[in-house]
């Protein structure tokens, strides 16, 4: 595949959300060992009369949540820049409802009270995507790009990835094709394009993988895309699945160069899924950058259960896109909303400092449910909080169908349908708990009036005890409270 030269446009920074009056809060500094995370700036309140429109890039990523779980289970505080609240919300795929008719998306909204500031309100905007018919899913051309360098020679790295890929292979169809490219002590094609009905051959190639050597990530990425291009299936699902701890120590290692490389290659209709593993030298920032620039998604595998969740239970969400270049524009009514703050979708500090930064659309997979949450300062006429039917905001979804150039727009009106948080459907309450947990983890100044006991109570009231993801979340909260609120501090509070 002929490589295009890098251009200035490819070096632009891209944003997850965009408003023009964002205030840069003080940077958060907390790291563990040699792990790297992109420095994020938490979204501030924006006055509606001057800046009524904010843009959002939705995604299906859930990497942040499983990475947070890893730290909590290690009885360790979480690096603040590892906390991406939108990915924490994505992990639960809340209350999925199939879009009607031929629609790709359906949108719902709900206005409610804010548990950490009684004067403010929360606006939930939920977007769900169409489920693909499993019998009609197009053939897949999958290239497994697997890091087999020396840093992967640990039980929670290459062996974990081999287990995850084996589970994926079991679900392949005869029309699907798999190739394996490795990079490490040796960089090259470990398995040429092989039909999905030859599972034993594919599984043996996975079993034969062994770690050693340096990490020539650039060479591996180039070879994988070249192979995906040579075996490209028109109107099919063409995808590179990169599995690594992100420790690129030979070849291109600067994040901007990696982003440019992937941006160049995605133009041919080849998607990218990134699977991150490891601890100690895990390079979240690099893997995240690759996924966002490659028209793809990003998951972090902390154990075998997560591998099965991502590559088996949520296979269609992870590997099959129903829409590309998806973005949301939310236009607030300044008479109903004085100011607003988007929770999550925080931008990299480097992107905010670059005046040429633009909003980048994301890839949405089959059967995904995304919730965006805004904290609102209501307008003077809305402070009584009763439902009025007045329009709070207009949501416009912009997207393209996979492989198509035409931009499609879909509008939805968010009305004042206020209900107190205690009377909401349980999934909105649970989503609020997730937002609060994320806010505590990255020391958000907006939650100073809230406590760990508040989020524990709200979670207990809203969780589905039959859902293992919900019970695990509650257990994480209990562990996190012990980590972030030492016993001496709790004793001092109890004496007051």
């Amino acid at each position: 595949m002929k490589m295009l030269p890098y251009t200035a446009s490819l070096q632009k920074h891209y944003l997850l959300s965009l408003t023009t009056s964002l205030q840069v809060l003080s940077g958060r500094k907390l790291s563990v060992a040699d792990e790297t995370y992109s420095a994020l700036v938490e979204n501030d309140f924006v006055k509606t009369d001057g800046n009524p429109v904010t843009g959002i890039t939705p995604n299906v990523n859930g990497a942040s949540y499983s990475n947070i779980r890893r730290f909590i289970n290690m009885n360790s505080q979480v690096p603040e820049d590892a906390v991406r609240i939108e990915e924490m919300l994505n992990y639960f795929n809340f209350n999925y409802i199939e879009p009607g008719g031929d629609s790709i998306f359906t949108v719902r909204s709900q206005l409610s009270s804010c548990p950490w500031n009684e004067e403010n309100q929360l606006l939930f905007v939920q977007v769900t995507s169409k489920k693909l018919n499993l019998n009609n899913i197009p053939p897949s051309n999958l290239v497994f790009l697997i890091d087999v360098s020396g840093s992967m020679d640990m039980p929670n790295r290459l062996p974990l990835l081999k287990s995850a890929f084996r589970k994926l292979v079991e679900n392949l169809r005869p029309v699907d094709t798999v190739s394996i490219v490795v990079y490490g002590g040796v960089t090259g094609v470990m398995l040429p394009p092989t039909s999905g009905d030859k599972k034993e051959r594919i599984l043996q190639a996975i079993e034969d993988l062994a770690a050693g050597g340096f990490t020539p990530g650039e060479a591996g990425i180039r070879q994988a895309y070249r192979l995906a291009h040579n075996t490209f299936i028109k109107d099919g699902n063409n995808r590179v699945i990169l599995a690594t701890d992100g420790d690129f120590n030979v070849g291109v290692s600067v994040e901007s160069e990696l982003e440019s490389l992937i941006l160049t290659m995605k133009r041919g209709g080849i998607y990218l899924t990134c699977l991150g593993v490891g601890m100690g030298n895990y390079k979240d920032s690099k893997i995240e950058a690759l996924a966002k620039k490659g028209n793809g998604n990003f998951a972090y595998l902390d154990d075998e259960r997560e591998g099965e969740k991502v590559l088996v239970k949520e296979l269609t969400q992870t590997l099959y896109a129903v829409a590309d270049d998806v973005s949301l524009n939310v236009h607030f009514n300044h008479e109903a909303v004085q100011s607003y703050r988007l929770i999550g979708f925080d931008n990299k500090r480097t992107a905010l400092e670059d005046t040429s930064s633009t909003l980048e659309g994301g890839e949405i997979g089959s059967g995904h449910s995304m919730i965006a949450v805004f904290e609102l300062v209501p307008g003077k006429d809305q402070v009584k909080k009763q439902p009025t039917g007045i329009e709070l905001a207009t949501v416009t979804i912009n997207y393209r169908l996979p492989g198509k150039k035409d931009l499609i727009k879909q509008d939805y009106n968010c009305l004042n349908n206020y209900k107190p948080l205690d009377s909401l459907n349980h999934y909105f309450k649970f989503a609020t708990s997730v937002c609060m947990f994320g806010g505590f983890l990255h020391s958000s100044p907006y939650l100073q009036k809230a406590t760990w006991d508040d989020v524990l109570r709200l979670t207990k009231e809203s969780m589905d005890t039959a859902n293992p993801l919900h019970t695990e979340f509650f257990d994480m909260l209990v562990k996190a409270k012990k980590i972030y609120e030492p016993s001496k501090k709790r004793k001092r509070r109890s004496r007051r």
Side-chain angles (χ1 to χ4, degrees):
M1 180 171 63
K2 184 178 180 180
M3 297 297 299
L4 299 176
Y6 298 145
T7 64
S9 63
L10 291 179
Q11 297 291 348
K12 285 184 178 179
H13 289 99
Y14 290 90
L15 301 167
L16 280 180
S17 59
L18 176 61
T19 51
T20 57
S21 62
L22 185 68
Q23 298 296 315
V24 177
L25 301 179
S26 59
R28 301 186 293 268
K29 295 182 179 179
L30 178 60
S31 60
V32 175
D34 291 326
E35 299 191 11
T36 63
Y37 298 90
S38 298
L40 302 178
V41 177
E42 186 173 10
N43 291 321
D44 198 357
F45 278 98
V46 178
K47 291 186 177 180
T48 310
D49 56 1
N51 295 278
V53 182
T54 189
I56 305 172
T57 297
N59 59 65
V60 301
N61 300 336
S64 180
Y65 183 88
S66 50
N67 192 29
I68 288 168
R69 180 175 61 203
R70 186 226 333 169
F71 281 102
I72 298 300
N73 286 338
M74 290 168 54
N75 200 36
S76 172
Q77 290 195 11
V78 181
E80 293 179 357
D81 287 321
V83 179
R84 297 186 288 270
I85 293 177
E86 71 278 7
E87 294 184 16
M88 296 173 68
L89 290 167
N90 280 343
Y91 195 82
F92 296 94
N93 211 43
F94 289 108
N95 194 45
Y96 175 80
I97 296 178
E98 178 81 17
D102 295 329
S103 298
I104 299 296
F105 295 106
T106 187
V107 183
R108 295 185 299 280
S109 65
Q110 180 64 57
L111 183 68
S112 186
S113 51
C114 178
W116 56 83
N117 189 334
E118 62 182 13
E119 296 180 356
N120 291 352
Q121 299 173 350
L122 295 181
L123 176 64
F124 302 89
V125 178
Q126 183 173 23
V127 179
T128 57
S129 64
K130 178 181 179 180
K131 276 186 179 179
L132 293 173
N133 186 331
L134 294 177
N135 296 323
N136 298 326
I137 289 178
S140 292
N141 168 34
L142 304 177
V143 179
F144 298 169
L145 173 57
I146 304 176
D147 182 352
V148 294
S149 62
S151 65
M152 297 291 289
D153 190 17
M154 296 180 67
N156 63 349
R157 299 189 189 185
L158 185 57
L160 176 57
L161 287 173
K162 290 166 71 171
S163 173
F165 278 120
R166 282 194 292 264
K167 291 173 181 175
L168 171 57
V169 169
E170 293 296 339
N171 288 278
L172 292 174
R173 304 162 298 171
V175 295
D176 300 325
T177 301
V178 169
S179 311
I180 299 178
V181 174
V182 299
Y183 62 94
V186 175
T187 298
V189 178
M190 176 68 88
L191 178 74
T194 303
S195 171
D197 61 355
K198 295 180 172 58
K199 290 182 173 55
E200 290 186 5
R201 183 182 302 176
I202 302 172
L203 291 171
Q204 186 59 52
I206 293 172
E207 187 62 32
D208 291 341
L209 298 176
F214 295 105
T215 316
E218 177 194 4
I221 292 170
R222 288 180 184 275
Q223 187 151 16
Y225 271 95
R226 192 173 293 114
L227 183 57
H229 176 77
N230 291 339
T231 55
F232 189 88
I233 299 174
K234 185 177 180 181
D235 297 324
N237 175 36
N238 298 277
R239 186 176 297 265
V240 172
I241 303 178
L242 168 63
T244 178
D245 60 5
D247 191 15
F248 299 102
N249 55 32
V250 175
V252 172
S253 58
V254 179
E255 288 173 38
S256 61
E257 295 179 20
L258 286 169
E259 293 175 10
S260 297
L261 176 64
I262 299 300
L263 275 169
T264 301
M265 293 178 170
K266 82 171 185 179
R267 291 176 171 175
I270 300 171
Y271 295 87
L272 177 68
T273 289
C274 293
L275 305 177
V277 294
M279 60 181 69
N281 68 335
Y282 170 57
K283 309 302 182 186
D284 180 275
S285 58
K286 293 181 180 179
I287 304 174
E288 180 198 15
L290 293 179
K292 287 178 179 176
K293 304 312 167 195
N295 238 12
N297 46 52
F298 172 32
Y300 177 82
L301 309 185
D302 57 336
D303 56 30
E304 289 191 9
R305 290 180 305 159
E306 187 64 16
E308 183 176 3
K309 178 178 183 288
V310 171
L311 294 179
V312 179
K313 294 179 181 179
E314 299 175 354
L315 179 69
T316 56
Q317 291 177 36
T318 305
L319 298 185
Y320 296 93
V322 296
D324 290 341
D325 299 328
V326 184
S327 64
L328 303 181
N329 289 328
V330 184
H331 190 145
F332 286 96
N333 175 2
H334 69 90
E335 294 181 354
V337 179
Q338 288 188 44
S339 59
Y340 60 91
R341 176 177 75 91
L342 175 60
I343 298 174
F345 298 94
D346 299 327
N347 287 301
K348 294 181 182 180
R349 180 175 296 276
T350 52
L352 291 173
E353 292 170 349
D354 182 355
T355 57
S356 68
S357 295
T358 59
L359 190 71
E360 178 184 32
E363 173 203 27
I364 297 297
S366 167
H368 181 65
S369 175
M370 183 210 81
I371 293 183
V373 185
F374 293 88
E375 182 178 355
L376 308 181
V377 177
K380 295 179 180 179
D381 295 336
Q382 304 296 308
V383 293
K384 294 181 180 179
K385 301 180 181 179
Q386 72 271 22
T388 62
I390 291 176
E391 184 178 304
L392 299 173
T394 300
V395 177
T396 301
I397 306 178
N398 309 286
Y399 66 95
R400 291 181 173 86
L401 296 176
K404 307 297 182 183
K405 295 182 179 180
D406 294 337
L407 183 66
I408 301 172
K409 294 179 179 288
Q410 178 180 334
D411 292 331
Y412 170 83
N413 294 328
C414 300
L415 303 180
N416 181 347
N417 56 358
Y418 179 88
K419 288 183 180 180
L421 191 64
D422 289 342
S423 65
L424 285 189
N425 290 330
H426 68 89
Y427 67 92
F428 281 132
K429 295 171 66 176
F430 195 90
T432 304
S433 298
V434 175
C435 291
M436 292 178 72
F437 182 39
F440 288 151
L441 293 180
H442 66 46
S443 304
S444 172
Y446 302 107
L447 271 68
Q448 292 180 359
K449 296 180 182 179
T451 67
W452 284 97
D453 287 336
D454 292 334
V455 69
L456 281 165
R457 175 189 57 79
L458 185 59
T459 303
K460 200 167 187 178
E461 292 174 354
S462 59
M463 65 187 288
D464 177 1
T465 55
N467 187 329
L469 296 183
H470 286 204
T471 56
E472 179 188 62
F473 178 77
F474 184 79
D475 291 342
M476 283 174 59
L477 283 175
V478 173
K479 292 177 184 177
K481 180 181 177 182
K482 293 178 180 178
I483 296 169
Y484 284 84
E485 283 194 341
S487 57
K488 290 183 179 180
K489 183 182 294 185
R490 293 201 298 273
K491 288 179 180 178
R492 285 199 300 270
R493 289 182 177 178
S494 64
R495 291 174 186 156
R496 294 178 182 175

